[in-house]
Amino acid sequence: MYGLLIFVFAYFWTHSVLWGYREYKDRKAKKGHPHVKAAELGIGQGKQVQRFRLIWRIGHLLFALSIMILILTGMALFYSQTAWAPVVMKALGGPQVVGIIHRICATIMLSIFFLHLILVTINIWRKRKTFKWFGPDSLIPNWKDFVDAWGMFKWFVGKGERPQFDRWTYWMKFDYWAVFWGMAIIGLSGLLLAFPHISASLFPGWAFNVAKIIHGEEAFLAAVFLFTVHFFNNQFRPDKLPPPDIVIFTGSMPLELFKREHPAQYQRLVEAGELEKYLVDAPSPQFTLGSKILGLTLIGVGLTLLVLVIIGFTA
């Protein structure tokens, strides 16, 4: 677990620092991005490119909320020696209530994960004749992802051009598949701890100590990664400032931003004449404002949890 922690944070924190520095330099040098005029493409005003359907946006929101509550309630137990842990326990109604909240949120999190698997399986089955497992619309890592990752580091230090990303970037795929690892480690160890009478009939006593350590360390990894690397990639890069990026709430993004973030997909859709299939009406001003408020709230909660976790880790 410590080896995994060191590798993940060493790679992605280095990635984040170099990425932030490169985008900061480009901003300071006032290097602009190519502008896309919708009228030249025959696209009417008020249109955006759809990235996420409603069901995925709802799933992401519920998943994020459940994880945040799990981190709060779980870390309050894992770092019970801190000054903030008893305050959280008391505010939520005591250890027994906190345990119930933790189990309810864990059930929600696992349910969303398995529902996601079912929907993905159905979607792939429906497209089985045309679906390309290593194609641009697949989240399965391919050779291009490794080339892009190396290309990004070359771009960071001024030794090459920025890679042309398609629908999913390599760090998006890492975020996606990291959830599978997390669900396996956190989910299985959590189930062992949640049902001690059943677990004790199947495993030796020391398994509980191992499960507790693995459960807590993996939760620590998830919390710190989400609230540093994931937040940086999606909210705090110089190109993203000021936050929040609300595409995960509205489901769509402006054409200019889409071309900048996913140039290979943009070019592919234009050449195939399929861009219009992805065009949707821009969200209303009210929905946009609500999404920004929600985004800023979640960012604030996430950063607060990060501070509590760091205090617990260093205490």
Side-chain angles (χ1 to χ4, degrees):
M1 287 301 299
Y2 285 129
L4 178 66
L5 289 170
I6 293 171
F7 171 77
V8 169
F9 290 136
Y11 178 86
F12 280 102
W13 283 351
T14 301
H15 187 276
S16 298
V17 170
L18 292 176
W19 194 356
Y21 179 66
R22 177 58 199 261
E23 286 194 357
Y24 168 75
K25 285 182 61 179
D26 285 353
R27 265 202 167 192
K28 191 174 182 181
K30 297 181 179 180
K31 291 184 178 180
H33 299 284
H35 185 70
V36 183
K37 294 183 179 180
E40 294 179 357
L41 297 174
I43 298 173
Q45 295 294 325
K47 293 290 184 179
Q48 292 191 356
V49 180
Q50 186 179 51
R51 286 281 293 167
F52 304 103
R53 289 186 293 148
L54 179 61
I55 190 170
W56 303 122
R57 287 143 52 194
I58 294 174
H60 178 275
L61 178 58
L62 293 176
F63 199 74
L65 290 173
S66 63
I67 286 178
M68 286 181 170
I69 298 174
L70 283 168
I71 290 172
L72 178 64
T73 54
M75 291 295 104
L77 177 62
F78 198 61
Y79 295 127
S80 58
Q81 78 280 7
T82 60
W84 61 263
V87 177
V88 170
M89 285 287 185
K90 184 177 180 181
L92 294 178
Q96 289 185 334
V97 176
V98 168
I100 293 172
I101 294 174
H102 194 80
R103 285 168 173 79
I104 290 174
C105 289
T107 302
I108 293 173
M109 179 187 71
L110 290 173
S111 298
I112 294 172
F113 175 72
F114 287 115
L115 178 60
H116 162 80
L117 289 181
I118 294 171
L119 292 175
V120 168
T121 302
I122 293 173
N123 188 47
I124 292 176
W125 177 255
R126 286 175 176 174
K127 300 178 180 178
R128 61 188 180 278
K129 293 183 179 180
T130 58
F131 183 75
K132 297 179 180 179
W133 289 95
F134 296 97
D137 292 320
S138 173
L139 278 162
I140 297 177
N142 54 43
W143 182 248
K144 184 180 184 302
D145 295 313
F146 294 98
V147 173
D148 286 346
W150 176 246
M152 277 291 276
F153 275 93
K154 292 175 66 177
W155 175 68
F156 291 156
V157 297
K159 299 297 183 180
E161 296 294 323
R162 180 172 176 167
Q164 300 290 294
F165 297 112
D166 210 288
R167 183 177 182 181
W168 307 114
T169 63
Y170 62 87
W171 64 86
M172 291 177 180
K173 292 182 180 182
F174 182 90
D175 285 354
Y176 179 79
W177 289 104
V179 173
F180 285 77
W181 165 266
M183 291 302 99
I185 300 301
I186 291 182
L188 291 176
S189 59
L191 287 172
L192 188 149
L193 295 170
F195 301 100
H197 298 296
I198 297 176
S199 301
S201 66
L202 300 173
F203 304 102
W206 55 262
F208 289 94
N209 294 330
V210 174
K212 180 183 177 182
I213 293 173
I214 291 177
H215 196 73
E217 296 292 351
E218 179 62 23
F220 172 84
L221 169 61
V224 177
F225 182 87
L226 285 172
F227 304 140
T228 57
V229 178
H230 185 69
F231 271 18
F232 174 82
N233 290 345
N234 294 280
Q235 304 293 343
F236 295 130
R237 287 191 283 125
D239 268 3
K240 293 281 190 178
L241 297 176
D245 183 332
I246 58 174
V247 63
I248 194 58
F249 304 123
T250 63
S252 62
M253 63 190 337
L255 184 62
E256 182 175 359
L257 180 60
F258 174 69
K259 186 178 186 299
R260 187 169 80 225
E261 296 284 328
H262 306 277
Q265 184 186 14
Y266 168 82
Q267 190 63 34
R268 179 166 54 86
L269 294 177
V270 170
E271 292 176 354
E274 296 180 347
L275 183 61
E276 291 189 4
K277 294 181 181 179
Y278 293 83
L279 297 180
V280 294
D281 292 331
S284 67
Q286 295 81 3
F287 188 53
T288 299
L289 177 60
S291 297
K292 289 183 178 180
I293 293 173
L294 176 60
L296 289 173
T297 301
L298 292 178
I299 290 173
V301 172
L303 293 179
T304 301
L305 290 171
L306 176 63
V307 172
L308 296 180
V309 170
I310 292 175
I311 291 173
F313 182 75
T314 56

